[in-house]
Amino acid sequence: MGDQPKRVRAWVRHLADRSYVVLIDGPDGEVEVGRTRRTRDVLSTARAGAARVLGVPEDGLGLDDIALTFARPPYGTDGQWVRIVAVENSHDASEASEIGLLGRAYWFDHEAAWFVTVTGSGTSLHPGEHLDFAPSVTDEEVAAFDAYISGANQRP
């Protein structure tokens, strides 16, 4: 690749089981370089696969050398109810306390994740694999959420 790192175009294809296929533009066109079930592993999968396909050492490609496009998933719509079913670090009490909470989700392209607002703890980013997009929702949960949102928008 010479002294200048080559910019590699990579993208994600969503599968029905909510896993991801990672593809790159190789010398002979589109090449599948790996699959993962975790959003956080997509970029490293693209990097390792690009190095393999291009025949260069993996450390010869920086993460900035990968131009990753992470398309909006085919599941989920902005403003829909979701339930948090997992977190990155379940040993962190502040993260683990979100498991089971109901929220409203909005896709955030730049982060390839969902902004989820939940009652009492505000808004945070969650990868799609941490969310249930068809939760059972109680009237009490909806009322608590609406009250929280209404109160959050009021100035003192």
Side-chain angles (χ1 to χ4, degrees), residues 104-121:
R104 288 218 186 246
Y106 294 86
W107 178 247
F108 186 45
D109 287 322
H110 180 70
E111 294 292 330
W114 296 88
F115 268 137
V116 181
T117 302
V118 297
T119 304
S121 64

Side-chain angles (χ1 to χ4, degrees), residues 9 19 29 59 64 79-80 91 101 107 117 124 130 141-143 150:
R9 191 172 79 89
S19 64
D59 61 3
D64 291 338
Q80 82 169 79
H91 300 294
L101 295 180
W107 178 247
T117 302
S124 57
H130 289 181
E141 287 175 312
V142 172
S150 295

Side-chain angles (χ1 to χ4, degrees), residues 2-156:
D3 294 328
Q4 291 283 20
K6 180 177 180 167
R7 190 89 165 135
V8 178
R9 191 172 79 89
W11 62 96
V12 174
R13 183 175 298 143
H14 299 273
L15 298 178
D17 68 357
R18 293 182 42 197
S19 64
Y20 312 106
V21 173
V22 182
L23 305 113
I24 68 158
D25 266 341
D28 299 321
E30 179 180 294
V31 179
E32 179 181 328
V33 295
R35 293 175 183 232
T36 182
R37 296 183 86 45
R38 295 169 34 122
T39 302
R40 73 181 324 199
D41 294 338
V42 167
L43 185 55
S44 60
T45 301
R47 179 181 179 213
R52 192 173 56 251
V53 168
L54 298 173
V56 299
E58 189 172 333
D59 61 3
L61 282 175
L63 294 178
D64 291 338
D65 296 330
I66 308 295
L68 178 65
T69 301
F70 203 110
R72 182 187 182 105
Y75 54 83
T77 58
D78 284 341
Q80 82 169 79
W81 292 114
V82 295
R83 192 165 305 278
I84 299 170
V85 295
V87 293
E88 281 300 316
N89 184 1
S90 61
H91 300 294
D92 178 337
S94 65
E95 280 191 56
S97 66
E98 290 189 340
I99 295 174
L101 295 180
L102 182 73
R104 288 218 186 246
Y106 294 86
W107 178 247
F108 186 45
D109 287 322
H110 180 70
E111 294 292 330
W114 296 88
F115 268 137
V116 181
T117 302
V118 297
T119 304
S121 64
T123 303
S124 57
L125 285 170
H126 291 274
E129 62 266 22
H130 289 181
L131 303 173
D132 173 3
F133 286 87
S136 297
V137 179
T138 67
D139 292 340
E140 293 81 15
E141 287 175 312
V142 172
F145 183 87
D146 289 344
Y148 174 72
I149 294 299
S150 295
N153 291 327
Q154 298 199 8
R155 297 188 183 260

